[in-house]
């Protein structure tokens, strides 16, 4: 089916090297689409399925996408997009075969119709190892999402390392537990397929969807972000037998809380396996599934990765000391798409500066300490505080906004915004301001608003986010929220 879709894309007018954006929830068809892109020499460009029309436009503009594959239920945002209607090869609309077409579905070529008209046979174009294969959008600490560009070669190394890290074989059944539009479940699915293992694709991550899949397909490997895993473990219908087929359960993207570690071990009889990765490199560390697994550790570097912990001047730190995580691997991204300055800021002499902090014990296991960058990680998605602040500043009553992440045992971090008001403006109800932001940036909107009489500033006149973070950690809310 993926070979047929590859021929269909080329017959539709797409050419090797063209970027094909996708706005799709988890479906088997999404995996077919990725494989078709690789076979046709196209550059798969997944978009976060929760993107608003503004974020869709940003990704389309940065990538220079020639076409968009979109689920029918996202018609409203596709219609509101300024760029989607003008793409060189239009929009390909996917609709679930067992559900009626939703009102407001985008106009375009039907996915099934395109596949049905695929030319029969014929060789597909060859592609070079260094050709771009995928662009993933990830938010950093300095503004809108950047396009992480992986080549065919870097993806192959990434897959090979994940296979080694998870100790995958053809006997495995992998159940990815997050969006395949992010690097995590995208990688888990392709890694499993690469060794002939089965992949179980769930449309959503709630227990009503997951429990029947656990019982029917008996997966051996489960990978979920902490928020979704917490909900599953706490579901009253979950029985220990439902987890009996698993040989490993990996959780990451957010820090796994001590509560979740204890609750899962009590239900499953074995510990959660934590790891660490980045969109720029894939999965870099993992407790070896065959052991030993150290609870609370993100494990040692997996095959194909070298990790160094350095101080602020580049020197190696000692055992047990906290240092900045630098990574060297063949699975490293080629760079950020059309952003040489951003690329140069993170890549140095074959190493990637993650900006994250960790310490290592005497066995080489790493222990995550925190994020040097100011990215907020909520339910496995990276949120830039600058994007949230920008949305709040559009409100006529808001003078300044400072946004920080606040530790949350379920979601990793929640988004808290500190706000000062323009002279003479009355404070809008916090709920109204949250809705105002949500209309602009969707899921990235703050969960909490705290009004301040004066915004703390650093000596250069910028918002003192360190001070706000400290205020949040000390649970200080001097003027209500």
């Amino acid at each position: 089916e993926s070979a047929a879709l590859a021929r269909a894309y080329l017959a539709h007018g797409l050419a090797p090297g063209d970027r094909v954006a996708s706005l799709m929830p988890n479906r088997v068809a999404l995996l077919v689409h990725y494989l078709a892109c690789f076979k046709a020499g196209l550059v798969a460009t997944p978009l976060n399925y929760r993107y608003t029309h503004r974020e869709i436009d940003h990704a389309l503009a940065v990538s220079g996408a020639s076409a968009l594959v979109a689920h029918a239920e996202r018609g409203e945002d596709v219609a509101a997009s300024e760029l989607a209607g003008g793409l060189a090869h239009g929009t390909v609309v996917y609709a679930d075969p067992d559900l009626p077409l939703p009102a407001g579905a985008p106009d375009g070529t039907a996915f099934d119709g395109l596949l049905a008209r695929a030319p029969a046979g014929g060789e597909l174009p060859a592609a070079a190892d260094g050709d771009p294969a995928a662009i993933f959008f990830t938010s950093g600490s300095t503004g809108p999402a950047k396009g992480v560009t992986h080549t065919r070669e870097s993806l192959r190394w990434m897959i090979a390392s994940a296979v080694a890290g998870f100790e995958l074989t053809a006997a495995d059944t992998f159940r990815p537990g997050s969006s395949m539009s992010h690097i995590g479940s995208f990688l888990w699915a392709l890694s499993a397929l690469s060794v002939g293992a089965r992949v179980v694709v769930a449309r959503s991550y709630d227990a009503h969807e997951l429990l029947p899949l656990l019982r029917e397909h008996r997966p051996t490997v489960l990978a979920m972000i902490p928020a979704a895993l917490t909900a599953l473990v706490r579901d009253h219908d979950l029985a220990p037998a439902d987890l009996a087929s698993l040989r490993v359960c990996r959780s990451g993207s957010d820090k796994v809380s001590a509560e979740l570690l204890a609750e899962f071990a009590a239900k499953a009889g074995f510990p959660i396996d934590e790891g660490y990765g980045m969109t720029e490199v894939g999965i870099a560390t993992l407790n070896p599934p065959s052991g030993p697994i150290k609870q609370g550790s993100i494990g040692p570097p997996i095959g194909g990765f070298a990790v160094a912990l350095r101080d602020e001047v580049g020197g190696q730190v000692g055992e047990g000391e906290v240092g900045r995580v630098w990574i060297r691997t063949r699975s490293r991204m080629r760079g950020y798409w059309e952003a040489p300055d951003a690329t140069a800021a993170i890549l140095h002499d074959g190493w990637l500066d993650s900006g994250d902090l960790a310490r290592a014990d005497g066995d080489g296991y790493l222990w995550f300490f925190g994020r040097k960058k100011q990215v907020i990680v909520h339910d496995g998605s990276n949120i830039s505080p600058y994007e949230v602040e920008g949305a709040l500043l559009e409100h006529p009553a808001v003078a300044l906004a400072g946004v920080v992440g606040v530790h949350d045992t379920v979601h990793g971090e929640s988004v808290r915004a500190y706000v000062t008001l323009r002279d003479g403006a009355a404070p809008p109800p916090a709920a109204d301001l949250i809705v105002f932001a949500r209309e602009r940036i969707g899921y990235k909107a703050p969960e909490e608003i705290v009004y301040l009489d004066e915004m703390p500033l650093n000596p250069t006149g910028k918002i003192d986010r360190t001070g706000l973070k400290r205020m949040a950690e000390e649970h200080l809310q001097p003027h209500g929220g």
Side-chain angles (χ1 to χ4, degrees):
E1 190 168 314
S2 63
L5 184 59
R7 296 187 184 96
Y9 282 155
L10 295 173
H12 190 59
L14 291 161
D18 283 349
R19 277 76 66 201
V20 182
S22 56
L23 188 67
M24 285 281 291
N26 278 8
R27 298 290 188 274
V28 172
L30 182 55
L31 270 180
V32 173
H33 162 75
Y34 290 147
L35 295 172
C37 288
F38 301 150
K39 290 180 177 182
L42 303 169
V43 183
T45 307
L47 309 186
N48 188 323
Y49 195 59
R50 297 185 291 179
Y51 269 179
T52 66
H53 65 88
R54 294 184 180 192
E55 293 161 312
I56 293 169
D57 277 336
H58 170 75
L60 295 178
V62 170
S63 65
S66 297
L68 171 66
V69 179
H71 194 283
E73 69 182 6
R74 293 306 311 274
E76 185 176 333
D77 279 298
V78 172
S81 163
E82 295 181 1
L83 299 182
L87 297 177
H89 298 288
T91 298
V92 176
V93 182
Y94 177 86
D96 288 309
D98 55 341
L99 295 174
L101 195 68
D107 295 327
T109 303
F111 183 93
D112 288 344
L114 189 70
L115 190 57
R117 296 191 299 273
E123 289 191 11
L124 291 167
D129 286 351
D131 288 347
I135 299 173
F136 295 90
F137 281 91
T138 180
S139 293
S141 59
T142 56
K146 300 185 289 291
V148 176
T149 307
H150 280 285
T151 64
R152 301 173 73 86
E153 183 177 21
S154 68
L155 282 184
R156 288 204 303 270
W157 281 107
M158 190 187 297
I159 289 168
S161 290
V163 167
F166 279 105
E167 303 169 7
L168 294 175
T169 73
D172 279 312
T173 298
F174 205 130
R175 182 40 215 104
S178 58
S179 170
M180 290 191 298
S181 293
H182 298 303
I183 193 69
S185 285
F186 168 95
L187 178 57
W188 313 149
L190 292 180
S191 299
L193 293 178
S194 78
V195 297
R198 290 194 304 149
V199 178
V200 180
V201 178
R203 296 186 179 193
S204 66
Y205 321 120
D206 60 52
H208 296 297
E209 171 94 1
L210 295 182
L211 282 176
L213 293 177
L214 288 173
R215 292 163 182 167
E216 179 181 356
H217 296 286
R218 309 304 294 165
T220 58
V221 184
L222 179 66
M224 299 183 71
I225 61 174
L229 185 58
T230 298
L232 177 64
V233 169
R234 292 178 179 174
D235 189 276
H236 66 275
D237 288 331
L238 180 72
D242 297 327
L243 304 174
S245 64
L246 296 176
R247 64 174 181 83
V248 61
C249 176
R250 188 263 181 183
S251 192
S253 297
D254 298 338
K255 188 72 182 80
V256 180
S257 68
E259 293 93 331
L260 178 54
L261 289 171
E263 289 178 31
F264 180 86
K267 274 282 178 71
F270 63 91
I272 288 174
D273 194 336
E274 288 190 73
Y276 169 83
M278 299 176 68
T279 305
E280 289 83 349
V281 297
I283 184 168
T285 75
L286 187 70
N287 282 268
S290 55
I293 294 176
K294 297 187 178 184
Q295 285 217 4
S297 168
I298 56 174
I302 63 175
F305 280 81
V307 173
L309 301 181
R310 301 180 180 178
D311 59 26
E312 290 302 315
V313 296
Q316 194 88 5
V317 303
E319 179 184 322
E321 295 180 10
V322 174
R324 198 168 173 129
V325 177
W326 289 66
I327 300 169
R328 185 174 63 197
T329 176
R330 291 184 179 182
S331 70
R332 192 197 72 203
M333 68 171 184
R334 187 172 78 176
Y336 297 116
W337 186 264
E338 303 294 341
D341 290 343
T343 301
I346 193 173
L347 301 183
H348 307 278
D349 299 324
W351 290 83
L352 181 144
D353 177 8
S354 74
D356 293 332
L357 302 174
R359 61 178 177 84
D361 64 20
D363 297 322
Y365 281 63
L366 298 169
W367 301 76
F368 190 71
F369 189 79
R371 298 186 181 275
K372 187 76 172 180
K373 302 171 185 175
Q374 294 172 334
V375 173
I376 300 166
V377 183
H378 179 85
D379 283 351
S381 293
N382 290 342
I383 298 174
S384 166
Y386 298 92
E387 289 185 79
V388 185
E389 290 163 5
L392 293 169
L393 288 171
E394 292 185 27
H395 194 284
V398 175
L400 291 173
V403 172
V404 296
V406 180
H407 176 69
D408 185 292
T409 57
V410 172
H411 300 289
E413 291 181 295
S414 60
V415 183
R416 178 180 293 176
Y418 291 91
V419 171
T420 59
L421 301 172
R422 296 181 183 274
D423 289 343
D432 291 354
L433 190 52
I434 290 170
V435 170
F436 178 88
R438 189 171 294 134
E439 290 172 348
R440 285 153 177 77
I441 53 173
Y443 70 94
K444 300 177 182 180
E447 284 91 6
E448 300 175 77
I449 302 290
V450 177
Y451 288 108
L452 301 176
D453 290 335
E454 185 176 354
M455 184 69 66
L457 304 176
N458 65 22
T460 62
K462 297 179 180 179
I463 292 174
D464 181 8
R465 291 183 180 81
T466 301
L468 291 177
K469 187 79 171 179
R470 185 167 54 249
M471 187 184 297
E473 291 170 350
E474 295 172 353
H475 305 288
L476 296 178
Q477 299 187 19
H479 301 288

